[in-house]
Amino acid sequence: MTLPNPDKEELRVEGVPESINFPLEEEKVLELWDRLDVFQTCLKQSQGKPRYSFYDGPPFATGLPHYGHLLTGTIKDIVTRFAHQSGFHVERRFGWDTHGLPVEYEIDRALGIKGPEDVARMGIKAYNDECRKIVMRYAKEWEVIVGRMGRWIDFRNDYKTLYPDFMESVWWVFKELYSKGLVYRGFKVMPYSTACCTPLSNFEMSQNYKDVVDPAIIVSFPLHSRPHVSLLAWTTTPWTLPSNLALCLHPLLIYVHAKEVSSGREYILMESRLESVFKKTTDFEILDKLSGMDLKGESYEPLFSYFEGSFPGAFKVLVDDYVTEDSGTGIVHMAPYFGQDDYRICLREGVIKKDQEMVCPIDSKGHFVEPVKDFLGVYVKDADKGICSELKKRGRLVHQGTIKHSYPFCWRSDTPLIYRAIPSWFIRVEPLVDRLLKNNAQTYWVPDFVKEKRFANWLKDARDWAVSRNRYWGTPLPLWVSEDGEEVVCVGSKEELASLSGKPSLSDLHREFVDDVTIPSKREGQPPLRRVPEVFDCWFESGSMPYAQVHYPFENKDMFESCFPADFIAEGIDQTRGWFYTLLVISTALFDKPPFQNLVVNGLVLAADGQKMSKRKKNYPDPLEVVNKHGADALRLYLINSPVVKAENLRFQETGVKDLIKDVFLPWYNAYRFFVQNVLRLETEERIRLTFDPDLADLASLPKEEWNVMDRWVLSSVQSLVGWFHGEMAKYRLYTVIPRLVKFIDQLTNWYVRLNRRRIKGENGRTESERALEVLFVVLETLNRLMAPFTPFITETFFQNLKRLRKGGAEEGSIHFLMLPKPK
């Protein structure tokens, strides 16, 4: 296509070449959009119209966009284009997640930082300066790739979680929750990344499970009352055995006192788990049967002496119905500071107390420390082998094997997580569960099964949220605490901090600026309050983005409140336990409202073999190469016209993109080309200048019997399509819209155009040819406008030529300035 000169008065339709290079045409359209500043012009044109509120979930700019980003971005672009062309003002701001582990992990790896000691030597300011340098490493590439995909999003007016205004609003959110009694400090056994030296929330842990092979051992615990009889416990984490403080049995299930025939040793284990120790029934003799309750309170010989005498209630048998009979021996070893149920049961039974020192003999990197002297400095996972060897020497290792099971890994460092007790600041989520479910019920999801099943089930079991991280590059927790912990002040703004501290208002809220600010104690003679060292989990920041992106409530208060909740958000199914969850928790805690009204959830884009896409394996084609080879429209349509928009997974096949060119775009292009050819033929042969009325005013006055039946059919079909299109798009069902539009293109090209070729070419006379061309013009233009949100490039190409034939002139600079057609 030759782009028209908008300053030229006489614009006539141009001839269309036989072949087309779609990527090249798209580059020309990008030039046109840039020259006319089309996106910003659209926003100016819609000022004053009803607002359609959209939240863009913030990605990290420390990596390049992949097909998952492009898919979600395309869904967002289609829906917001549709909203704009339906008469709404749609602000579309790009957001960046700039804090947290993804950034810090890159710096730690680049600078060889192994732990907090290295950061202390370097200094927090120097460390954060390094983080600041890389947060936008790939921002330009993101802008190029997103723009090349045809997505309209405002990069100039973006939001970043590192902006001081954003951080101040996060402080406000936290103070609101604190004032409602929803914030507390406590110990909790949590997933912990030894590579990143920080706890993770339960939903972060759920993001990266892998099948691994771990040790599976059975260990003996001789009873003090009967030293010749041993309880048998099974574990897949030998490294926790030095911290053993109790054993747990099921209170009601049956246990047996069995004698091993070959050795004469006597063991106690669950009757239904005899197979875990004995291969055949002739290998053992049952001496007695008893319940777990019968053994409650029995004391046993500890495996190691590290904590003997430190816990008066330790090394005894406890009971709890969480013990199952589907694995192990039916007896669970308990290390209360390395297991969630272990902690709960030992706390309940008085083995440990909330206010006592933790039995957690590992450092921040997961290496053993005193008093575990036999394994000092050894990483916990590496200690498994040595611990098993030591137990074997002591005659306490009864069985040693392995098990393949699903195990959580750190989503950032890709290293195994452990469970450990950690002091943290929590948001009380458990008391909010009923309100979370109520607010979730008020939202509309596509597809709805994700809301009703996956998300609702997650909400029902929601736990208190650990929002603090023992890190550096993030929004600092705005809590100032006295040395004895008796005074706690939560600060909700820069001005409040200035007022309380007597220092000037800060221009930046990162740790290097706020850590040295103190607040005088209200108690006479007491030292000042200092800020706690933790920063926010970056998920708390992204969950606060509806408020923080507009600096609410410090600015834009009326504007925000008029369009909250958001009309629309969209992300991948992995965000059911991530962004969707944090958005809902915070909005429920703040306003008892859902944060959004409509949500489109997409599935995952996998490699062709069904595996996760991996840069290391190079098992997928580079997205930009696919766009440069086949065009962004084809890639957009391929992604949207697939099961992935129904929250199912898509195995990406480049041949699928290529097939769309052959099956959809070329027939559509050929229909457009055939139309233009015959318009030019008539103008040349008859020396007339054709223009067409989109409303068919002239043809509408014809008697019914004079209408061509194929004209009536295709016009009826396109108007039915328009009505159906609006209905389905209003319900956000993209997965039904695209197949119907594609089917109509097939009907247009293979039925209407094919069966009317001779008539359009003038073989039935000039009048019939003109009528057929006018009908074809209306159908092509209507289809073009319906397809514009989905395939913005080719529709612009067609429009720039077809608009010259519109009766009334060609004033519109872009198809995207036009509102969508309404059914007639």
Side-chain angles (χ1 to χ4, degrees):
M1 147 182 122
T2 302
L3 292 177
N5 181 350
D7 299 324
K8 188 176 178 182
E9 291 184 11
E10 289 294 324
L11 293 175
R12 298 303 300 143
V13 68
E14 294 182 352
V16 179
E18 187 175 345
S19 61
I20 180 173
N21 181 321
F22 288 105
L24 183 61
E25 292 300 315
E26 291 178 353
E27 295 285 354
K28 294 177 182 177
V29 169
L30 287 170
E31 290 174 17
L32 173 70
W33 288 349
D34 186 56
R35 176 152 50 87
L36 299 180
D37 199 10
V38 173
F39 175 41
Q40 292 300 323
T41 303
C42 282
L43 293 176
K44 290 173 186 173
Q45 289 175 345
S46 63
Q47 284 288 350
K49 292 182 178 180
R51 291 182 69 93
Y52 181 90
S53 179
F54 157 69
Y55 297 154
D56 190 39
F60 290 100
T62 49
L64 291 168
H66 51 65
Y67 285 103
H69 293 121
L70 301 185
L71 163 66
T72 306
T74 299
I75 292 171
K76 295 172 183 177
D77 189 54
I78 289 168
V79 172
T80 52
R81 283 178 181 272
F82 171 78
H84 167 79
Q85 292 182 274
S86 297
F88 291 91
H89 178 69
V90 191
E91 189 176 72
R92 286 158 268 184
R93 297 178 65 196
F94 200 83
W96 298 103
D97 212 337
T98 55
H99 285 150
L101 283 182
V103 181
E104 291 198 24
Y105 185 68
E106 292 292 322
I107 294 301
D108 289 354
R109 198 166 56 173
L111 301 182
I113 290 172
K114 303 298 183 187
E117 307 81 16
D118 294 337
V119 178
R121 280 192 292 271
M122 181 181 185
I124 292 175
K125 182 182 186 308
Y127 184 84
N128 278 358
D129 284 345
E130 292 298 322
C131 291
R132 194 177 272 104
K133 288 176 187 175
I134 72 160
V135 290
M136 301 305 292
R137 176 188 288 167
Y138 295 113
K140 188 60 183 174
E141 287 86 346
W142 271 83
E143 191 167 349
V144 168
I145 294 171
V146 168
R148 184 62 188 85
M149 281 294 294
R151 183 184 176 193
W152 284 359
I153 187 87
D154 197 341
F155 283 98
R156 303 176 206 168
N157 185 32
D158 65 0
Y159 73 86
K160 296 184 178 78
T161 57
L162 61 74
Y163 287 159
D165 285 353
F166 191 101
M167 297 169 72
E168 185 176 31
S169 288
V170 172
W171 276 16
W172 172 83
V173 169
F174 185 73
K175 181 167 184 180
E176 288 292 300
L177 303 191
Y178 182 87
S179 300
K180 294 182 180 195
L182 295 175
V183 176
Y184 69 95
R185 180 174 170 81
F187 289 103
K188 197 168 187 179
V189 177
M190 299 168 59
Y192 182 86
S193 170
T194 56
C196 298
C197 302
T198 192
L200 303 180
S201 57
N202 284 301
F203 56 82
E204 286 178 292
M205 177 199 70
S206 68
Q207 290 187 325
N208 190 17
Y209 269 81
K210 295 184 180 185
D211 287 335
V212 297
V213 176
D214 273 330
I217 65 172
I218 296 174
V219 183
S220 65
F221 293 84
L223 293 170
H224 283 151
S225 62
R226 291 170 282 173
H228 64 288
V229 180
S230 293
L231 297 162
L232 296 186
W234 176 81
T235 182
T236 60
T237 55
W239 64 268
T240 62
L241 289 170
S243 302
N244 169 266
L245 293 184
L247 296 173
C248 192
L249 285 66
H250 194 286
L252 303 178
L253 296 179
I254 301 303
Y255 290 79
V256 295
H257 175 186
K259 182 177 181 178
E260 187 175 46
V261 173
S262 62
S263 67
R265 295 190 184 97
E266 296 180 27
Y267 301 126
I268 292 176
L269 69 159
M270 193 179 281
E271 182 179 32
S272 59
R273 298 305 304 161
L274 281 162
E275 65 192 44
S276 65
V277 177
F278 305 108
K279 292 182 180 178
K280 299 180 291 188
T281 56
T282 55
D283 291 344
F284 61 90
E285 176 188 348
I286 295 179
L287 304 179
D288 194 10
K289 292 188 179 183
L290 56 169
S291 72
M293 283 299 294
D294 295 329
L295 290 162
K296 184 180 180 181
E298 288 268 9
S299 62
Y300 61 85
E301 184 68 26
L303 288 173
F304 298 95
S305 60
Y306 307 132
F307 301 107
E308 275 191 282
S310 302
F311 299 89
F315 309 116
K316 291 182 180 178
V317 173
L318 312 177
V319 295
D320 192 272
D321 58 11
Y322 105 96
V323 178
T324 66
E325 54 183 335
D326 58 4
S327 62
T329 62
I331 299 175
V332 180
H333 122 75
M334 313 220 86
Y337 294 100
F338 291 115
Q340 292 177 331
D341 285 304
D342 308 42
Y343 182 84
R344 173 181 62 84
I345 295 165
C346 287
L347 188 64
R348 183 190 70 202
E349 299 297 328
V351 177
I352 59 171
K353 296 178 181 176
K354 277 189 175 181
D355 56 356
Q356 74 179 75
E357 189 178 344
M358 289 193 304
V359 181
C360 193
I362 62 172
D363 64 16
S364 62
K365 298 294 289 183
H367 298 93
F368 278 111
V369 296
E370 291 285 1
V372 184
K373 56 183 181 296
D374 299 303
F375 307 101
L376 279 179
V378 181
Y379 177 62
V380 290
K381 288 285 187 180
D382 297 336
D384 283 344
K385 190 174 181 181
I387 290 170
C388 289
S389 297
E390 185 62 29
L391 292 174
K392 192 172 184 180
K393 282 183 200 174
R394 300 181 187 195
R396 305 287 290 270
L397 187 64
V398 175
H399 175 76
Q400 186 171 7
T402 59
I403 183 173
K404 186 176 183 180
H405 62 160
S406 184
Y407 192 84
F409 277 62
C410 176
W411 63 278
R412 174 43 51 183
S413 64
D414 210 32
T415 54
L417 297 176
I418 64 171
Y419 278 91
R420 67 173 292 182
I422 208 91
S424 188
W425 291 90
F426 294 87
I427 303 296
R428 300 184 197 275
V429 177
E430 289 160 33
L432 301 177
V433 166
D434 289 344
R435 287 158 61 192
L436 291 172
L437 290 167
K438 179 200 74 173
N439 287 331
N440 182 48
Q442 296 175 38
T443 60
Y444 175 76
W445 293 46
V446 177
D448 63 353
F449 75 84
V450 183
K451 166 192 165 182
E452 300 295 343
K453 295 181 180 178
R454 183 171 182 145
F455 193 58
N457 290 338
W458 177 253
L459 293 177
K460 287 172 188 173
D461 295 327
R463 299 174 185 173
D464 289 356
W465 176 12
V467 295
S468 60
R469 294 291 179 267
N470 305 91
R471 300 300 304 182
Y472 313 96
W473 178 242
T475 299
L477 261 68
L479 291 167
W480 272 256
V481 182
S482 61
E483 288 182 5
D484 59 7
E486 291 299 313
E487 283 184 88
V488 180
V489 173
C490 185
V491 175
S493 70
K494 291 184 287 188
E495 290 308 313
E496 184 181 4
L497 179 59
S499 174
L500 290 169
S501 66
K503 299 290 178 66
S505 182
L506 298 172
S507 59
D508 196 313
L509 296 180
H510 286 92
R511 281 194 62 177
E512 61 269 34
F513 298 95
V514 301
D515 280 4
D516 291 335
V517 177
T518 60
I519 295 176
S521 173
K522 291 183 178 179
R523 298 175 296 168
E524 190 174 343
Q526 293 296 315
L529 282 61
R530 303 196 68 88
R531 197 191 70 80
V532 299
E534 295 96 334
V535 299
F536 280 109
D537 168 13
C538 59
W539 287 100
F540 188 83
E541 294 179 309
S542 57
S544 301
M545 64 75 53
Y547 330 102
Q549 69 166 341
V550 293
H551 198 209
Y552 180 85
F554 308 102
E555 295 181 79
N556 305 304
K557 195 171 187 293
D558 292 341
M559 181 272 287
F560 168 78
E561 291 173 358
S562 69
C563 54
F564 179 83
D567 290 291
F568 165 68
I569 66 169
E571 293 295 339
I573 196 168
D574 52 330
Q575 295 301 325
T576 48
R577 296 178 179 183
W579 193 48
F580 304 155
Y581 175 71
T582 62
L583 282 172
L584 183 63
V585 167
I586 292 174
S587 70
T588 298
L590 287 176
F591 304 119
D592 198 18
K593 286 182 180 180
F596 54 83
Q597 298 180 58
N598 303 287
L599 166 60
V600 175
V601 188
N602 61 263
L604 304 179
V605 184
L606 305 174
D609 59 1
Q611 299 297 309
K612 187 177 179 181
M613 288 186 171
S614 166
K615 291 179 184 176
R616 181 175 53 82
K617 294 179 182 177
K618 296 181 179 176
N619 60 353
Y620 65 94
D622 178 82
L624 210 49
E625 288 181 11
V626 172
V627 169
N628 289 334
K629 192 187 298 183
H630 306 292
D633 277 343
L635 179 56
R636 285 170 65 110
L637 209 60
Y638 171 74
L639 292 171
I640 297 302
N641 191 29
S642 76
V644 80
V645 290
K646 294 190 285 186
E648 299 172 20
N649 290 342
L650 168 67
R651 294 188 178 194
F652 186 86
Q653 304 269 3
E654 188 177 350
T655 53
V657 184
K658 187 177 180 181
D659 288 343
L660 272 174
I661 297 286
K662 174 173 60 72
D663 298 335
V664 177
F665 287 92
L666 283 176
W668 184 13
Y669 175 78
N670 286 331
Y672 156 72
R673 177 172 171 266
F674 179 69
F675 166 78
V676 172
Q677 278 180 324
N678 282 281
V679 167
L680 292 173
R681 175 190 58 78
L682 262 178
E683 290 190 348
T684 302
E685 291 177 0
E686 305 293 339
R687 296 188 177 279
I688 58 173
R689 186 169 172 176
L690 292 175
T691 56
F692 301 110
D693 181 1
D695 296 320
L696 291 174
D698 294 339
L699 290 180
S701 61
L702 284 177
K704 184 177 178 181
E705 59 272 12
E706 291 187 31
W707 274 85
N708 179 280
V709 66
M710 288 299 292
D711 291 349
R712 290 172 60 195
W713 167 76
V714 78
L715 288 170
S716 173
S717 295
V718 80
Q719 292 309 315
S720 297
L721 177 65
V722 170
W724 183 88
F725 172 90
H726 280 280
E728 291 299 287
M729 285 298 291
K731 295 172 183 174
Y732 295 85
R733 291 201 284 251
L734 277 63
Y735 58 86
T736 64
V737 174
I738 280 295
R740 181 79 177 265
L741 288 169
V742 168
K743 183 179 179 182
F744 183 79
I745 291 172
D746 176 70
Q747 291 173 338
L748 174 66
T749 57
N750 285 327
W751 288 94
Y752 183 78
V753 173
R754 180 173 292 179
L755 294 176
N756 280 275
R757 287 185 74 86
R758 298 175 70 178
R759 178 168 162 252
I760 292 170
K761 291 170 76 171
E763 294 183 20
N764 293 355
R766 171 182 158 182
T767 300
E768 279 298 297
S769 177
E770 286 186 25
R771 287 180 181 177
L773 285 171
E774 186 143 31
V775 168
L776 185 52
F777 172 82
V778 169
V779 172
L780 283 172
E781 188 193 58
T782 304
L783 174 64
N784 214 34
R785 289 165 67 182
L786 293 180
M787 288 292 291
F790 298 90
T791 54
F793 291 103
I794 192 173
T795 51
E796 187 74 273
T797 299
F798 293 170
F799 175 77
Q800 291 300 327
N801 206 22
L802 291 177
K803 72 177 185 178
R804 302 167 179 180
L805 295 169
R806 295 185 84 203
K807 193 168 283 185
E811 305 87 8
E812 297 293 353
S814 168
I815 189 172
H816 305 291
F817 294 164
L818 300 176
M819 295 297 100
L820 288 162
K822 297 290 176 66
K824 299 174 183 176

